[in-house]
Amino acid sequence: MATASPPLATPFRPLAVAGGSGGLVVGARAVVPPRRGRRGFVVRSVASDREVRGPAPTEEELSAVLTSIDSSAIASNIQHHADFTPLFSPEHSSPLKAYHATAKSVFDSLILNWNATYDYYNKVNAKQAYYLSMEFLQGRALTNAIGNLELTGQYAEALKQLGQNLEDVASQEPDPALGNGGLGRLASCFLDSMATLNYPAWGYGLRYRYGLFKQIITKDGQEEVAENWLEMGNPWEIVRNDVSYPLKFYGKVVEGTDGRKHWIGGENIKAVAHDVPIPGYKTKTTNNLRLWSTTVPSQNFDLGAFNAGDHVKANEAHLNAEKICHVLYPGDESSEGKILRLKQQYTLCSASLQDIISRFESRAGDSLNWEDFPSKVAVQMNDTHPTLCIPELMRILMDVKGLSWNESWSITERTVAYTNHTVLPEALEKWSLDIMQKLLPRHVEIIERIDEELMNTIVSKYGTADISLLKQKLKDMRILDNVDLPASVAKLFIKPKEKKGKLLVESLESIAEADEKTESEEEENILSETTEKKGESDSEEAPDAEKEDPEYELDPFTKYDPQLPRVVRMANLCVVGGHSVNGVAEIHSEIVKQDVFNSFYEMWPTKFQNKTNGVTPRRWIRFCNPELSTIISKWIGSDDWILNTDKLAGLKKFADDEDLQSEWRTAKRNNKMKVVSLIRDKTGYVVSPDAMFDVQVKRIHEYKRQLLNILGIIYRYKKMKEMSAKDRIKSFVPRVCIFGGKAFATYVQAKRIVKFITDVAATVNYDPDIGDLLKVVFVPDYNVSVAETLIPASELSQHISTAGMEASGTSNMKFAMNGCILIGTLDGANVEIREEVGEENFFLFGAHAPEIAGLRQERAEGKFVPDPRFEEVKEYVRSGIFGTGNYDELMGSLEGNEGYGRADYFLVGKDFPSYIECQEKVDEAYRDQKLWTRMSILNTAGSPKFSSDRTIHEYAKDIWGISPVIMP
């Protein structure tokens, strides 16, 4: 029989009077102020979203009442929410109910500063940044919020008084399923830093009902089920039913009598705002994350159809609207999936821009001047998902606000900036022009004109003297791919036909005839509607050159190829339409300039810059690793490092101190004990805390090379099996090899890797010959909360992507901050981490980025000679040692000399010998615990650069042009 959870303590009793030792009663509720008098507290009933009766005290009055907070007052406030916030039945008492009551209590401490921040931004009308992202991987809010409010101790004591434990209560909170990996976690770190540093900045995203998916590991590998994070409600949000904006899909474009274009007909929905407070650390600033849900008005419910029994039809409009925000990254194998993804991206862009523009107009009042927009608004596109911001802002400015094309383009270009997060071609989004034309017809018109003006700029830049160079630049830089060139550009690529084996001599007269098209006709073509049949609105007239002179023809390059898809290259649109393009690590930004966008860099070199990623030291050291944080503060002499990570460098001078090393090892072991429990709870495996904890947690992808890691483990296992028990112990350091991460639901090869890892684990972990010398664990459903437990306990962390393919990585920064030593390639931020922590404190292996292209070419030509150890491991896998699973496809991807998915594109075989030799050095270093602890300390001491505070300062100064706004 289950044991009942301890009940919440005595019923709520209204506290005495303002100025007493407890909290302040406003109406019939206790309001708990934060510890510092400068912080505000609630004067509104959040639960019912209505004003509480009775006069509301001013902030000055409330601040004067109490300068510190009493845990008993917090307990009373929590009890009040348990009794009166209508979420749970009164007869039920559980840690989950305690969590929701506690969260509402904390919300009371946030809301006044939240409202005050919003009001103050409006008052001072400073330039504000808006960060648009499809993902915000927030993690649990409770411990982070009370930590930023400096109330952790008081809430722990209050819950103790109520018969509860803070850690148990906090564990009831589900991770918000608003992101997948590094992209979303970076966005959340940035929000924390923006608030902490007092920058006027908001986040915009979508409120996914189910998020990505919950990962379940079975004997068949990964299975996906819907995430249920909203099942019990979200105490951290307020639905702003009064903040909603219309959105349109489909329809057609007509020109009105006012000369403007009008997008009419089609499907109409609305986006509704849900706001989440983002508190800063040791500051009153509380910024906002605004998430959009989608719906339609109630009158769209077809009551007649419902009463006639056609219930599906009756609710069709609601279902079509609401499904937009059901799932993060819905499968896009079908055309319906592609349409849904594009709807998501447009919803984010349009609702957010309408909201931003509304705020700009409200603040400007009677002095509204659209030329001021870029001096008041900065829009950052986090990757290519928000690319539609560019044509959408153009559409609103021209069609709604009545500005000219040139005025709108100037405003858009100065407002919008783009962060590139990848060099993978498949991640540089390309959308079907036909789907976009159907769904967003007005935006296609705008994109077509941007594309034509870009081509004219390219022609002006490079001229026609070297026609091959011009052709290559147009191929590289065009926004529309496999779409006819407009006539004004196509005429430059007229060439003589072949006739009876001889080339005709080109005549200037024929070229002149082909150039007779008037400027007005060109403009008419640009604005004409694109159709699926012709696919060439801009170039209908170009073939006339052939009609006028049959001895000449257009280069096939100028024409649409019906065998290939017509696409919109979203990354190119981002580069063209924004004033700044930044990579996220030094090596990545160089690849962006020299490879991915080289032609754009040559044309606009000042657009490109680097902003190395960072992570917040609040969540990723202070709150997730409190024992280590206490040690750091003790040895540095203060906790100032939490806001100024440069002070972490002060640990360097103590790196050899035996007392510090002893404390450091104790903290690490205590954190490892928590992971022992986590692994037992989530997998059933029992692991030893005395073994090295070797961790690779990140999205499952071939380029991240979890496959290299598990093959290295197999090699280790095979060598152990070939030895006597005595030699095994002598030759190998005990390890627990931990994996975590989700494979995208339709990424078959990634799911094969997950299955392979779990099959290896099932064999190794039950081998009595090996025992605790080697364990393999795949932690299911990896998320922020799991990371907050794993990272502080990790001793070796694997960041082993193929060089030149990881943009940055941010988990590598979190591991280093927590004293974990990295093994990795010179890829992404690894390069800078190694520079900062010292080469001797980083385990380096593998090919370097400049070598990769040549190595792939070598493989394609059949010249690669694999290391015998690599062949040995593959043969061992094929022997059936790991069960009856079929690994032919997985092993086959590492073989062959050509073809996608083969030929070892990610160079696992090339780097394998270097990798296992580097792992031998890891074992050697770990045997010397004094040396290892010194390396660990120096990793933490060398991590100051990787604070997101530093990154945000750079964005604010170099891209957004915003300054801190300090609340009075």
Side-chain angles (χ1 to χ4, degrees):
M1 179 181 294
T3 302
S5 301
L8 291 174
T10 55
F12 168 75
R13 296 287 187 269
L15 299 177
V17 293
S21 60
L24 174 73
V25 176
V26 180
R29 74 185 296 181
V31 179
V32 183
R35 180 171 63 185
R36 296 174 182 267
R38 61 191 178 89
R39 292 187 178 274
F41 43 92
V42 70
V43 293
R44 181 178 297 136
S45 172
V46 179
S48 60
D49 199 28
R50 61 181 173 80
E51 294 299 322
V52 178
R53 294 182 181 181
T58 66
E59 183 177 6
E60 290 76 12
E61 289 171 335
L62 296 179
S63 297
V65 170
L66 292 173
T67 57
S68 63
I69 194 163
D70 182 87
S71 59
S72 297
I74 292 178
S76 294
N77 189 245
I78 294 172
Q79 184 65 55
H80 164 73
H81 283 293
D83 291 341
F84 298 108
T85 298
L87 188 64
F88 295 89
S89 299
E91 66 269 18
H92 291 152
S93 180
S94 68
L96 183 60
K97 182 175 183 178
Y99 157 67
H100 276 269
T102 304
K104 283 300 184 183
S105 171
V106 177
F107 204 91
D108 288 350
S109 296
L110 295 177
I111 194 166
L112 187 64
N113 284 341
W114 191 20
N115 292 339
T117 302
Y118 177 87
D119 291 341
Y120 194 66
Y121 287 170
N122 280 342
K123 178 181 178 181
V124 300
N125 194 20
K127 185 175 184 179
Q128 185 165 335
Y130 300 96
Y131 198 83
L132 272 64
S133 178
M134 287 293 286
E135 297 186 42
F136 286 95
L137 202 58
Q138 289 288 91
R140 292 170 174 163
L142 178 58
T143 52
N144 191 73
I146 62 176
N148 277 357
L149 291 169
E150 301 178 272
L151 294 174
T152 302
Q154 290 90 326
Y155 267 90
E157 176 60 28
L159 285 167
K160 185 177 179 182
Q161 294 175 23
L162 296 172
Q164 301 288 338
N165 174 275
L166 175 59
E167 189 171 340
D168 293 340
V169 168
S171 70
Q172 300 300 310
E173 181 177 1
D175 277 41
L178 299 172
N180 176 30
L183 182 81
R185 186 51 237 171
L186 177 77
S188 295
C189 282
F190 280 2
L191 292 183
D192 177 271
S193 287
M194 291 169 190
T196 296
L197 302 175
N198 302 297
Y199 281 114
W202 276 23
Y204 281 106
L206 297 181
R207 183 182 182 269
Y208 305 105
R209 182 174 178 181
Y210 301 114
L212 189 68
F213 57 81
K214 182 185 286 291
Q215 181 192 55
I216 298 174
I217 301 298
T218 70
K219 63 181 179 61
D220 297 318
Q222 171 182 296
E223 295 184 5
E224 305 91 24
V225 298
E227 182 63 75
N228 63 347
W229 75 284
L230 285 173
E231 197 168 75
M232 300 302 292
N234 179 10
W236 301 104
E237 70 180 6
I238 291 180
V239 185
R240 306 289 193 188
N241 289 308
D242 59 329
V243 180
S244 64
Y245 296 97
L247 304 175
K248 182 183 292 293
F249 299 107
Y250 307 107
K252 63 181 180 179
V253 180
V254 299
E255 186 169 337
T257 55
D258 56 1
R260 299 184 193 177
K261 291 297 184 77
H262 296 271
W263 183 13
I264 62 172
E267 175 186 351
N268 296 287
I269 66 171
K270 70 174 181 177
V272 179
H274 299 247
D275 287 351
V276 178
I278 307 296
Y281 178 70
K282 288 191 175 183
T283 176
K284 294 169 70 174
T285 298
T286 304
N287 284 338
N288 195 35
L289 170 60
R290 179 157 283 180
L291 304 171
W292 301 105
S293 67
T294 44
T295 187
V296 291
S298 56
Q299 56 262 35
N300 287 55
F301 180 77
D302 191 338
L303 190 59
F306 188 87
N307 288 331
D310 195 345
H311 302 152
V312 173
K313 180 183 177 183
N315 205 37
E316 185 177 12
H318 280 84
L319 291 176
N320 283 336
E322 291 171 358
K323 73 181 180 182
I324 292 173
C325 292
H326 272 357
V327 174
L328 169 64
Y329 302 141
D332 59 355
E333 299 293 310
S334 64
S335 60
E336 291 81 4
K338 290 180 174 67
I339 289 171
L340 187 56
R341 279 209 191 189
L342 194 57
K343 280 186 170 183
Q344 287 184 336
Q345 294 187 2
Y346 180 65
T347 296
L348 170 64
C349 295
S350 182
S352 302
L353 283 172
Q354 290 184 70
D355 195 42
I356 291 166
I357 288 171
S358 174
R359 193 169 298 108
F360 169 76
E361 291 176 317
S362 174
R363 291 177 182 177
D366 295 336
S367 59
L368 177 66
N369 182 349
W370 285 105
E371 188 61 25
D372 293 338
F373 192 78
S375 65
K376 295 297 183 182
V377 170
V379 173
Q380 189 70 35
M381 301 183 296
N382 192 29
D383 214 354
T384 53
H385 307 127
T387 304
L388 289 169
C389 279
I390 293 166
E392 174 67 0
L393 183 54
M394 291 289 292
R395 182 192 71 82
I396 294 173
L397 292 175
M398 290 189 300
D399 299 355
V400 180
K401 304 303 177 183
L403 276 64
S404 70
W405 173 275
N406 288 339
E407 290 171 327
S408 301
W409 181 251
S410 173
I411 291 169
T412 298
E413 191 176 27
R414 288 180 289 143
T415 299
V416 176
Y418 162 53
T419 298
N420 173 273
H421 284 280
T422 185
V423 300
L424 297 177
E426 65 268 27
L428 295 171
E429 289 184 296
K430 295 180 180 180
W431 280 105
S432 163
L433 181 61
D434 294 331
I435 287 178
M436 190 176 289
Q437 170 67 45
K438 180 180 179 182
L439 195 68
L440 303 169
R442 178 57 176 139
H443 297 77
V444 168
E445 289 185 348
I446 294 169
I447 291 169
E448 285 173 342
R449 181 163 177 183
I450 295 172
D451 186 52
E452 181 169 9
E453 296 206 354
L454 169 64
M455 286 187 282
N456 291 334
T457 301
I458 294 169
V459 172
S460 298
K461 168 76 174 177
Y462 292 101
T464 58
D466 187 341
I467 204 71
S468 296
L469 174 64
L470 180 60
K471 181 177 177 179
Q472 188 59 49
K473 294 299 180 184
L474 290 171
K475 282 184 176 180
D476 290 345
M477 300 173 73
R478 279 198 73 183
I479 296 166
L480 300 177
D481 189 28
N482 193 34
V483 174
D484 284 6
L485 267 66
S488 60
V489 179
K491 68 186 180 184
L492 303 174
F493 296 91
I494 297 173
K495 65 178 186 178
K497 285 184 178 179
E498 290 189 8
K499 185 176 183 182
K500 295 180 182 180
K502 296 181 180 180
L503 290 176
L504 293 170
V505 178
E506 186 176 70
S507 74
L508 294 174
E509 289 79 10
S510 351
I511 298 294
E513 288 179 352
D515 196 22
E516 288 179 353
K517 186 177 217 9
T518 66
E519 186 175 343
S520 62
E521 289 171 329
E522 292 175 13
E523 180 69 10
E524 183 179 347
N525 275 331
I526 290 168
L527 295 176
S528 67
E529 183 174 8
T530 303
T531 66
E532 185 172 347
K533 179 179 178 182
K534 67 179 182 178
E536 52 194 31
S537 64
D538 294 314
S539 51
E540 183 81 2
E541 301 294 328
D544 282 354
E546 296 182 55
K547 297 175 183 177
E548 293 172 10
D549 192 336
E551 298 177 348
Y552 290 86
E553 66 179 354
L554 287 172
D555 188 320
F557 151 74
T558 66
K559 300 178 181 178
Y560 160 64
D561 182 347
Q563 303 302 313
L564 299 173
R566 301 182 306 142
V567 298
V568 183
R569 298 194 285 192
M570 305 299 271
N572 286 20
L573 180 54
C574 286
V575 176
V576 174
H579 66 89
S580 172
V581 179
N582 72 278
V584 289
E586 288 176 359
I587 185 174
H588 170 239
S589 294
E590 285 305 307
I591 292 171
V592 165
K593 291 189 290 187
Q594 304 305 327
D595 184 11
V596 182
F597 297 125
N598 180 249
S599 293
F600 289 108
Y601 175 64
E602 289 179 354
M603 180 174 286
W604 298 307
T606 58
K607 271 193 182 188
F608 290 80
Q609 54 183 290
N610 175 60
K611 293 289 171 279
T612 297
N613 284 341
V615 300
T616 167
R618 269 76 63 187
R619 184 181 286 271
W620 292 112
I621 310 184
R622 178 65 187 89
F623 304 147
C624 77
N625 201 344
E627 188 170 351
L628 185 67
S629 298
T630 300
I631 293 170
I632 292 171
S633 297
K634 170 187 170 182
W635 285 84
I636 290 177
S638 75
D639 63 359
D640 293 348
W641 60 270
I642 302 170
L643 283 172
N644 181 5
T645 52
D646 287 345
K647 292 185 178 293
L648 289 173
L651 289 170
K652 291 180 181 178
K653 62 186 176 184
F654 304 116
D656 292 305
D657 190 288
E658 292 185 2
D659 290 337
L660 173 57
Q661 289 199 359
S662 176
E663 293 175 17
W664 201 269
R665 283 192 292 269
T666 298
K668 182 67 72 173
R669 183 177 175 83
N670 290 341
N671 287 326
K672 289 171 72 174
M673 291 302 299
K674 295 177 183 177
V675 171
V676 170
S677 298
L678 179 141
I679 289 172
R680 184 181 61 246
D681 293 345
K682 287 187 173 289
T683 70
Y685 291 133
V686 177
V687 301
S688 169
D690 296 323
M692 177 201 298
F693 280 18
D694 172 352
V695 179
Q696 187 181 20
V697 284
K698 51 186 75 238
R699 178 167 50 96
I700 310 297
H701 197 290
E702 289 169 277
Y703 92 84
K704 293 179 183 289
R705 299 202 295 191
Q706 286 91 353
L707 188 54
L708 174 61
N709 186 351
I710 193 64
L711 289 176
I713 291 169
I714 291 169
Y715 180 82
R716 187 181 187 90
Y717 175 66
K718 184 175 185 295
K719 293 307 168 187
M720 286 181 177
K721 293 289 287 182
E722 294 168 354
M723 293 179 179
S724 67
K726 183 177 179 180
D727 287 341
R728 277 186 215 122
I729 295 170
K730 181 179 178 181
S731 301
F732 294 99
V733 165
R735 288 204 199 191
V736 178
C737 300
I738 302 171
F739 293 83
K742 295 179 180 180
F744 191 66
T746 57
Y747 189 176
V748 175
Q749 192 75 323
K751 296 179 79 169
R752 287 186 184 128
I753 292 171
V754 174
K755 174 71 163 64
F756 185 42
I757 293 169
T758 57
D759 285 350
V760 173
T763 297
V764 171
N765 295 350
Y766 295 111
D767 190 328
D769 293 340
I770 303 303
D772 286 337
L773 204 55
L774 181 63
K775 296 290 186 185
V776 180
V777 177
F778 192 101
V779 179
D781 205 38
Y782 178 69
N783 56 23
V784 176
S785 298
V786 173
E788 289 172 336
T789 302
L790 274 180
I791 290 173
S794 301
E795 294 170 287
L796 180 74
S797 181
Q798 306 221 19
H799 302 273
I800 57 178
S801 51
T802 311
M805 301 203 72
E806 182 74 88
S808 169
T810 51
S811 67
N812 46 6
M813 302 171 185
K814 298 164 195 168
F815 282 103
M817 278 185 174
N818 283 272
C820 181
I821 301 162
L822 274 54
I823 179 171
T825 53
L826 283 180
D827 195 27
N830 284 0
V831 177
E832 293 162 76
I833 291 175
R834 184 169 176 261
E835 290 172 354
E836 295 293 319
V837 304
E839 296 178 7
E840 68 281 8
N841 301 309
F842 185 106
F843 293 104
L844 177 67
F845 76 95
H848 295 186
E851 304 175 75
I852 300 302
L855 291 170
R856 286 180 177 144
Q857 182 64 31
E858 175 188 72
R859 189 63 188 258
E861 294 172 355
K863 297 177 181 177
F864 172 67
V865 179
D867 187 280
R869 292 168 290 186
F870 185 57
E871 296 302 292
E872 178 185 351
V873 165
K874 290 191 294 179
E875 199 60 36
Y876 193 56
V877 171
R878 287 187 168 119
S879 72
I881 184 70
F882 301 113
T884 59
N886 186 341
Y887 310 117
D888 289 346
E889 292 291 338
L890 200 55
M891 294 299 104
S893 72
L894 305 174
E895 298 169 345
N897 295 319
E898 59 185 353
Y900 186 77
R902 297 183 65 80
D904 193 14
Y905 182 80
F906 300 100
L907 303 178
V908 173
K910 176 65 181 178
D911 281 351
F912 185 77
S914 175
Y915 177 68
I916 60 175
E917 289 160 11
C918 191
Q919 288 285 15
E920 291 170 2
K921 296 177 183 176
V922 172
D923 274 16
E924 182 182 353
Y926 194 76
R927 287 189 181 96
D928 185 346
Q929 279 294 290
K930 182 171 182 176
L931 169 64
W932 188 272
T933 306
R934 182 180 193 275
M935 295 171 69
S936 175
I937 294 168
L938 290 174
N939 264 264
T940 298
S943 63
K945 175 179 179 178
F946 305 105
S947 167
S948 53
D949 294 352
R950 185 267 312 155
T951 314
I952 287 301
H953 276 312
E954 293 179 5
Y955 271 97
K957 176 178 177 290
D958 301 334
I959 297 178
W960 302 335
I962 64 173
S963 300
V965 173
I966 310 297
M967 295 278 290

